[in-house]
Amino acid sequence: MGKTEIFPLKQETDIVIVRQRVRKAAEAVRLGLVSQTKIVTAASEIARNALIYGGGGECVIEETTKDGRGAVRLVISDQGEGIANLDRAMVDGYTSGSGMGLGLGGAKRLVDQFAIESQPGQGTRIELWKWR
Amino acid sequence: MSVPVIAELLKKHESELLQEWIASQRAAGIRTDLIDEGTVLNNSRELLKLLSIAALGGIDDLGSAEWKPVRNMIEALSRTQSRQGFSPSETATFVFSLKEPLFAKIQANCADPASEMLKASQLLDKLGLYSMESYMTGRESVIREQQESMLELSTPVVELWKGVLAIPLIGSLDSNRTQIVMEALLEKIVQTESEIAIIDITGVPTVDTMVAQHLLKTVTAAKLMGARCIISGIRPQIAATIVHLGVELGDVITKSSLADAFSVALKELDIRLVKGSLR
Ligand SMILES: Nc1ncnc2c1ncn2[C@@H]1O[C@H](COP(=O)(O)OP(=O)(O)O)[C@@H](O)[C@H]1O
Ligand SMILES: [Mg+2]
């Protein structure tokens, strides 16, 4: 069945590795070039958030299927401070740091399915799907 | 406190143990392509000596000051071996292959061999694990060095024409590297008094909001210095992604290829290239 791997997100170079592995997974389930680039970019956004705002975390990469079609499923989680106001965080242009504030909204638009759970003080968990 | 039995054995049978240990390393296979037997012999002799000294003070707390020389030696050897291309098991074998000869000595010399063997086994297991940890640390530092040297792969800023610079970006752009590269570009703009800078991203696999932000900042800074930027090499999949991210490139000129960007640059400088045959 599907292949699942877990990667740490502790330092900047881990994001590079996650991007490479997501690209590999997307190729393996035969996503098109545009879809590959979209899921890789979404992963890069969410992974960087986990690192910068969540104090580090991990990324689960799964090669799987969705309704019989090849799919990549990512779960990126951290045990950081969480997001107190999710609606505000999702708004394009909102940043509590010095970013562009487009990571969360952008990642959501780049994938086929996006789910976010965040508890203040407990951390954040984001699930991303892209399928053929 | 009485001297541990193992310490006595190590001391008393040092030269025999050394020979048998070497034999058992040989039996396990010595990587003579990576290390010569003379070195193996010296290392083994040295470690055995350090072991017998450290064991005098007890064999339970390997974190103690008495055990420091042993730890240091195992650490240095294991790190070196990870750099030299030894496998993890080849590295661990060095320590573990002392078990057999030491057990044999215990068997032959002790009233209560079972309990001494257990102690010896625990001791060598701990040292073996320590050797593994050191090996891994060595590995990690090799990897880190490689990563850093990749960061330093300097991206050249090239002058295509008087007043036209180009910087072909290749590979993953992360904060550090992007920063370095962009600063290099700005410096060169000042130095050459260029009017146009072409940033080519054909070789960049992913453009996320951080990369986009760096690009936009560079464009703004270049403008302040009197130079215009053209971003070239935006492949279709990258263009689609940027749109979905919601990044606005504003009034930045974009071209699909470096060649297109170059001809725009020449046009802006009012330079016309004419084919020689027309003469
Ligand atoms: N994993 C996280 N943990 C805590 N806060 C987060 C996390 N991810 C995002 N946020 C919050 O949501 C905001 C918006 O994130 P994002 O859209 O990626 O923009 P940016 O990263 O540019 O700030 C962040 O500034 C931060 O306050
Ligand atoms: Mg972000």
Side-chain angles (χ1 to χ4, degrees):
Chain A
M1 258 314 287
K3 190 171 119 189
T4 303
E5 283 186 290
I6 303 179
F7 297 90
L9 292 166
K10 298 275 175 250
Q11 54 194 22
E12 181 97 6
T13 44
D14 291 338
I15 299 175
V16 179
I17 293 167
V18 159
R19 279 203 300 258
Q20 285 168 353
R21 304 310 299 224
V22 172
R23 171 81 64 183
K24 283 245 159 64
E27 279 169 5
V29 304
R30 308 202 9 255
L31 295 189
L33 191 52
V34 175
S35 292
Q36 284 176 27
T37 307
K38 285 181 176 176
I39 185 76
V40 169
T41 309
S44 185
E45 293 297 339
I46 303 304
R48 179 165 287 107
N49 283 352
L51 184 65
I52 297 177
Y53 302 113
E58 62 174 38
C59 175
V60 178
I61 304 176
E62 189 183 353
E63 294 168 17
T64 177
T65 55
K66 171 82 177 182
D67 303 330
R69 289 178 286 187
V72 175
R73 174 177 172 266
L74 308 177
V75 178
I76 297 172
S77 55
D78 64 67
Q79 268 74 54
E81 60 186 26
I83 304 174
N85 188 337
L86 258 186
D87 291 337
R88 186 180 63 177
M90 292 297 303
V91 168
D92 278 355
Y94 173 79
T95 177
S96 64
S98 54
M100 297 185 91
L102 294 171
L104 287 176
K108 186 175 179 180
R109 286 186 291 273
L110 286 170
V111 299
D112 293 319
Q113 193 174 308
F114 179 97
I116 179 167
E117 285 165 34
S118 191
Q119 293 290 325
Q122 314 230 318
T124 302
R125 179 185 182 279
I126 295 179
E127 185 177 344
L128 307 164
W129 282 82
K130 193 84 190 166
W131 52 75
R132 263 167 74 87
Chain B
M1 197 182 72
S2 66
V3 171
V5 176
I6 290 169
E8 273 173 21
L9 285 177
L10 284 169
K11 186 119 209 93
K12 201 163 151 208
H13 303 281
E14 196 169 315
S15 65
E16 258 172 78
L17 274 171
L18 178 61
Q19 277 173 23
E20 287 160 19
W21 186 14
I22 297 289
S24 112
Q25 290 183 63
R26 253 194 222 113
I30 292 177
R31 289 289 300 270
T32 44
D33 54 331
L34 298 175
I35 194 165
D36 60 274
E37 293 223 4
T39 312
V40 174
L41 184 64
N42 286 338
N43 289 343
S44 307
R45 183 185 294 123
E46 173 77 15
L47 186 63
L48 208 50
K49 191 166 291 155
L50 293 177
L51 271 175
S52 71
I53 297 170
L56 287 173
I59 57 170
D60 296 323
D61 181 13
L62 301 193
S64 68
E66 283 84 2
W67 281 90
K68 191 154 199 284
V70 173
R71 291 198 312 270
N72 285 349
M73 179 166 181
I74 290 181
E75 184 178 332
L77 283 178
S78 309
R79 275 175 178 251
T80 312
Q81 298 207 341
S82 79
R83 283 182 181 273
Q84 288 170 334
F86 286 82
S87 76
S89 30
E90 282 159 0
T91 303
T93 298
F94 176 58
V95 171
F96 287 137
S97 57
L98 179 55
K99 268 193 185 181
E100 227 180 278
L102 188 56
F103 284 8
K105 284 280 167 291
I106 292 172
Q107 188 81 45
N109 295 285
C110 291
D112 178 13
S115 89
E116 289 306 326
M117 271 193 211
L118 183 62
K119 284 187 209 157
S121 177
Q122 284 170 339
L123 171 66
L124 291 178
D125 285 348
K126 281 188 208 160
L127 293 175
L129 287 177
Y130 188 70
S131 145
M132 271 308 79
E133 270 173 36
S134 311
Y135 178 91
M136 293 310 293
T137 323
R139 239 324 127 80
E140 278 160 18
S141 65
V142 170
I143 294 171
R144 206 162 31 244
E145 282 159 19
Q146 285 170 346
Q147 283 169 341
E148 278 163 13
S149 68
M150 303 240 315
L151 274 180
E152 278 168 15
L153 269 184
S154 59
T155 304
V157 184
V158 292
E159 194 166 22
L160 294 181
W161 197 272
K162 179 80 197 107
V164 184
L165 295 180
I167 184 163
L169 298 178
I170 291 164
S172 265
L173 292 179
D174 271 307
S175 309
N176 276 339
R177 186 164 169 249
T178 320
Q179 195 90 24
I180 294 168
V181 161
M182 296 308 176
E183 276 164 17
L185 176 63
L186 296 175
E187 241 167 62
K188 192 86 176 217
I189 288 177
V190 174
Q191 195 190 324
T192 58
E193 299 176 359
S194 291
E195 289 177 50
I196 297 176
I198 303 169
I199 304 173
D200 186 76
I201 60 169
T202 309
V204 178
T206 319
V207 176
D208 59 11
T209 61
M210 194 204 72
V211 171
Q213 193 179 28
H214 277 297
L215 288 174
L216 290 171
K217 274 185 185 160
T218 308
V219 170
T220 309
K223 205 183 257 173
L224 288 174
M225 293 187 294
R228 270 156 301 163
C229 287
I230 303 173
I231 299 179
S232 69
I234 303 184
R235 287 158 296 151
Q237 64 272 29
I238 301 277
T241 306
I242 291 179
V243 170
H244 278 84
L245 275 177
V247 170
E248 314 246 354
L249 291 178
D251 55 358
V252 182
I253 310 168
T254 57
K255 285 284 151 203
S256 59
S257 74
L258 181 55
D260 287 348
F262 186 43
S263 74
V264 168
L266 291 180
K267 208 169 281 166
E268 298 228 342
L269 294 178
D270 212 14
I271 291 162
R272 254 153 297 199
L273 294 185
V274 182
K275 245 194 193 149
S277 58
L278 287 178
R279 210 152 45 96

